[in-house]
Amino acid sequence: MDGVPEQRILDAAGADFGWDVVDATAWTDERLEEAVGAVTRHCFDLAADIPFRARLFRRSAGEHRLALVVHHIAGDGSSLAPLVRDLLTAYRARAAAAEPAWPAPVAQYADFTLWQHDLLGDEADPDGRLGRQAAFWERELDGFEGLLELPTDRPHPPVADHRGAQVVVEWPAELQELVRRTAREYNATTFMVMSAALSVLLSRLSGSQDVAFGVPTAGRGRTEFEDMVGFFVNTLVLRTQVASEAGFGDVLAQVRERSLDAFAHQDVPFDALVDRLNPVRTQAHHPLVQVLFAWQNVTLPELSLPGLEITPLRADTLTARMDLTFSLRERVDDAGRPAGIGGVVEYRTDVYDAETVERLVARWRRVLTTLLADPDRPVLSLDLLDERERARLDVLGARKVLSEPADDPSIPGMFTEQVRRRPDSVALVFEGRSWTYRELDEA
């Protein structure tokens, strides 16, 4: 047809996906890290490139480094398990001088796209699945401003540069057990407990009772898609009202209800939702959510191959999709016992410094340890500052000087005397409301 570009499906044998073996035997460790980083940060031209890229760096006859990159359009977090299994299967076969033999796939990614199209139906049909779910999200996010004003090290530039870095999170098994115990007591999941604590933290830092963040969901609604490599993930918005008088248990109950509702309406593609809600557009940050929280549950197969010792290494693309992306998971030992919570926080380097993100992570941990130990405690009573920060605040606020008795009249002293002498006289008037000296003193 005129105007429609030709589309071709390449035979696997003729597909060039950037595979190469590089002799790095004479390289320094620094040069190797730079080369691996160049692979992980490769920018794909999706109009021409296959969205896979691989380099095998040979350090010696017995040591190699494999860098394998998959563009997000071709794979998500849940794709890692089947991808690694296929890679291990292929290696075992080649090591035995045989052709890899995989079972025929139950479905292909094209089947998913057709299934999704049939499932959602026409957006214009209010009785269709897409129409009903989109209407739910319009109600759920009605009145939400779309900008969570968290304290940053620098103002948002007019255009985000999407450069980023990571801070590693390592929390002990004792905290993990506390999260699990709270989840059981409130008939919730550990994701809900973590999300409630994050909502409290974001509310306290932003000064807003109305907070929201994005939550990636696997998006694999049928069993035939579970072992498929492809992009299925969708992003939901978890909105919470954190009232100052509420206890943590109240916040958790709300997060539980809203999480269940959100997952029951998870089929609307996030991009379509943004288009439908039509928030104020800006290139400075995402118009709807600036924070993501991913509670990972992907389990990779055991990295075991004959004659090889395999060690996975962390890679950093030096990019940031959002202002802050928390990506954490629960860990267990060989006996299934809690082994701690770990992961990374990806952050934009044009607005945040590493030290600020590290303090934010420490405050999240403080929220968890304090409020989970006493779920009825009002969230407003939580002190987010540590001892060092309180001491610095005392210096900046001259607390020592203000708390010392003064020989000469001082403003606090004169105010106290005025409260004693004229408690019912008007002391302050603002926008039609007045306070007496007694009321102001009590406040």
Side-chain angles (χ1 to χ4, degrees):
M1 295 174 60
D2 293 340
V4 178
E6 179 185 0
Q7 299 183 13
R8 295 182 300 144
I9 298 178
L10 300 179
D11 181 82
D16 180 10
F17 61 95
W19 167 258
D20 200 2
V21 179
V22 180
D23 185 1
T25 54
W27 289 10
T28 62
D29 291 340
E30 291 77 12
R31 183 179 176 185
L32 176 62
E33 294 303 327
E34 291 176 359
V36 171
V39 176
T40 60
R41 293 187 290 273
H42 173 72
C43 184
F44 289 92
D45 178 3
L46 294 179
D49 294 344
I50 289 178
F52 291 85
R53 193 171 182 85
R55 290 286 187 277
L56 182 67
F57 298 93
R58 183 189 299 111
R59 298 305 311 279
S60 67
E63 181 182 356
H64 296 75
R65 179 83 66 89
L66 173 63
L68 176 62
V69 182
V70 183
H71 192 283
H72 214 344
I73 200 173
D76 53 22
S78 298
S79 299
L80 294 179
L83 182 62
V84 170
R85 278 199 299 269
D86 283 355
L87 183 62
L88 298 180
T89 298
Y91 184 90
R92 293 189 186 98
R94 296 300 186 187
E99 290 268 348
W102 292 288
V106 177
Q108 299 188 20
Y109 192 76
D111 298 315
F112 164 73
T113 62
L114 296 173
W115 169 81
Q116 186 184 50
H117 184 270
D118 292 339
L119 174 74
L120 296 179
D122 188 352
E123 183 180 7
D125 179 8
D127 296 324
R129 192 183 189 101
L130 182 57
R132 295 196 311 272
Q133 292 198 14
F136 162 81
W137 286 110
E138 287 181 330
R139 296 190 301 270
E140 182 71 8
L141 300 177
D142 180 44
F144 181 62
E145 296 295 332
L147 175 60
L148 192 63
E149 295 189 4
L150 299 174
T152 59
D153 294 294
R154 288 165 294 280
H156 285 83
V159 179
D161 64 16
H162 298 291
R163 289 199 295 263
Q166 294 180 350
V167 165
V168 176
V169 178
E170 292 289 349
W171 289 343
E174 293 78 13
L175 179 57
Q176 181 184 9
E177 291 174 337
L178 183 59
V179 170
R180 288 186 169 189
R181 183 166 66 249
T182 303
R184 290 193 299 269
E185 291 174 355
Y186 283 84
N187 192 28
T189 64
T190 53
F191 161 77
M192 295 173 184
V193 175
M194 297 292 293
S195 295
L198 181 58
S199 297
V200 171
L201 175 66
L202 297 179
S203 175
R204 293 294 305 275
L205 291 178
S206 66
S208 173
Q209 294 186 354
D210 189 5
V211 299
F213 52 86
V215 177
T217 179
R220 299 176 182 243
R222 297 176 57 165
T223 55
E224 45 275 49
F225 303 140
E226 290 179 357
D227 286 332
M228 187 182 297
V229 176
F231 183 80
F232 296 82
V233 71
N234 194 21
T235 300
L236 310 180
V237 180
L238 182 58
R239 183 184 185 185
T240 309
Q241 302 288 340
V242 186
S244 57
E245 68 276 7
F248 182 76
D250 301 321
V251 178
L252 178 55
Q254 183 187 166
V255 167
R256 180 183 182 277
E257 180 180 355
R258 293 201 168 194
S259 296
L260 293 174
D261 285 342
F263 285 109
H265 298 83
Q266 63 175 291
D267 300 312
V268 180
F270 186 59
D271 291 343
L273 175 63
V274 174
D275 289 340
R276 180 152 176 161
L277 296 175
N278 195 26
V280 177
R281 301 286 180 162
T282 174
Q283 292 182 294
H285 52 75
H286 193 282
L288 194 57
V289 291
Q290 297 80 50
V291 177
L292 286 179
F293 172 43
W295 190 233
Q296 305 284 3
N297 58 3
V298 176
T299 302
L300 295 181
E302 183 181 358
L303 298 178
S304 175
L305 287 172
L308 290 185
E309 179 180 338
I310 303 175
T311 303
L313 300 175
R314 189 186 304 277
D316 188 351
T317 62
L318 302 183
T319 59
R321 296 162 289 175
M322 293 281 182
D323 289 12
L324 294 165
T325 298
F326 300 91
S327 183
L328 306 180
R329 70 169 64 246
E330 290 192 76
R331 295 171 177 163
V332 294
D333 60 19
D334 294 338
R337 295 184 296 264
I341 296 172
V344 297
V345 182
E346 180 185 272
Y347 64 93
R348 282 176 53 178
T349 54
D350 56 355
V351 293
Y352 285 108
D353 293 332
E355 295 78 9
T356 300
V357 179
E358 289 170 352
R359 286 196 298 270
L360 191 149
V361 171
R363 289 191 172 102
W364 191 8
R365 178 175 175 178
R366 191 172 302 123
V367 169
L368 284 165
T369 55
T370 304
L371 294 184
L372 267 59
D374 184 9
D376 295 328
R377 174 177 178 172
V379 297
L380 188 62
S381 67
L382 177 67
D383 188 357
L384 291 179
L385 302 181
D386 59 26
E387 293 296 334
R388 182 181 61 83
E389 290 170 328
R390 279 194 290 270
R392 184 166 180 261
L393 189 61
D394 287 346
V395 172
L396 293 174
R399 184 182 299 273
K400 181 178 180 181
V401 173
L402 292 176
S403 61
E404 289 179 348
D407 296 333
D408 298 326
S410 64
I411 292 176
M414 289 188 291
F415 178 78
T416 301
E417 179 63 18
Q418 191 74 345
V419 172
R420 186 187 67 79
R421 291 173 52 205
R422 304 175 60 189
D424 297 319
S425 297
V426 174
L428 183 65
V429 178
F430 180 70
E431 292 187 350
R433 182 182 175 187
S434 63
W435 290 264
T436 65
Y437 280 101
R438 178 187 289 115
E439 290 171 336
L440 188 59
D441 183 54
E442 290 173 351

